[in-house]
Amino acid sequence: MAELREIRLTVNGVVRQGRAEPRKLLVDFLREDLGLTGTHVGCEHGICGACTILLNGEAARSCLMLAVQADGAEILTVEGLATDGKLHPLQEAFWEHHGLQCGFCTPGMLLAALDLLSVNPSPTEAEIRAGLSAVLCRCTGYQGIVRAVKAAAERLRAAG
Ligand code: FES
Ligand code: FES
């Protein structure tokens, strides 16, 4: 067995640490070592986007990184979106506008949407579709997702 390496990172505002083999994927470290199973694993080779997280404020695929590469990083996963027991406006909008069915793509979709709205707070429908095109949904046909992101953008702008 390969030597285990110490990994220390901040996840959802909390410093977490663990030990992992150098070959361990970040998504597996989050799920198996830190117990954060909200981040899903689909294809494991960078196609489906289910494993999308925010890494130092930008969307990244956690199946394309090794856990050791994230040492020292700040990570946001779907578990970190709600605050004080209240859903994030994006989560509320996905609920209200039927932005999910099975929910498998949803964690990645939410983080990709958050990344999009952080750089473009007033996206057009075409920009929403382009911004989320790196996350695949096999259920919804995307209509509800696009409506939800549009609604969340309005809510977030109104909240200032
Ligand atoms: S599991 Fe990472 S892109 Fe599919
Ligand atoms: S809601 Fe099922 S994959 Fe998107």
Side-chain angles (χ1 to χ4, degrees):
M1 188 162 138
E3 193 186 332
L4 298 178
R5 300 267 292 271
E6 291 283 347
I7 300 167
R8 186 181 158 91
L9 66 184
T10 304
V11 186
N12 303 330
V14 178
V15 175
R16 304 289 304 265
Q17 57 192 69
R19 289 155 64 82
E21 286 187 41
R23 66 178 182 167
K24 187 159 205 167
L25 297 176
L26 176 58
V27 68
D28 292 333
F29 182 72
L30 290 172
R31 291 173 55 85
E32 295 169 6
D33 295 74
L34 303 187
L36 296 169
T37 53
T39 301
H40 290 162
V41 198
C43 64
E44 282 190 288
H45 56 265
I47 304 296
C48 73
C51 65
T52 302
I53 55 162
L54 292 197
L55 177 81
N56 297 327
E58 290 184 19
R61 280 149 153 57
S62 57
C63 77
L64 290 186
M65 278 188 72
L66 299 170
V68 290
Q69 292 176 296
D71 189 32
E74 289 221 13
I75 287 176
L76 183 71
T77 70
V78 69
E79 288 93 344
L81 287 179
T83 45
D84 300 329
K86 189 166 167 14
L87 292 178
H88 186 279
L90 267 167
Q91 291 172 304
E92 284 179 348
F94 269 62
W95 175 318
E96 290 164 7
H97 294 272
H98 307 289
L100 67 148
Q101 287 180 26
C102 80
F104 191 81
C105 71
T106 311
M109 205 60 94
L110 287 166
L111 274 299
L114 188 62
D115 183 47
L116 168 68
L117 296 183
S118 73
V119 294
N120 182 359
S122 306
T124 62
E125 177 171 337
E127 287 169 338
I128 293 172
R129 289 183 182 277
L132 300 182
S133 60
V135 185
L136 304 181
C137 177
R138 63 190 167 181
C139 303
T140 64
Y142 300 95
Q143 299 285 6
I145 293 172
V146 172
R147 276 199 305 273
V149 174
K150 218 168 178 32
E154 283 164 21
R155 206 169 291 183
L156 286 166
R157 283 199 308 273

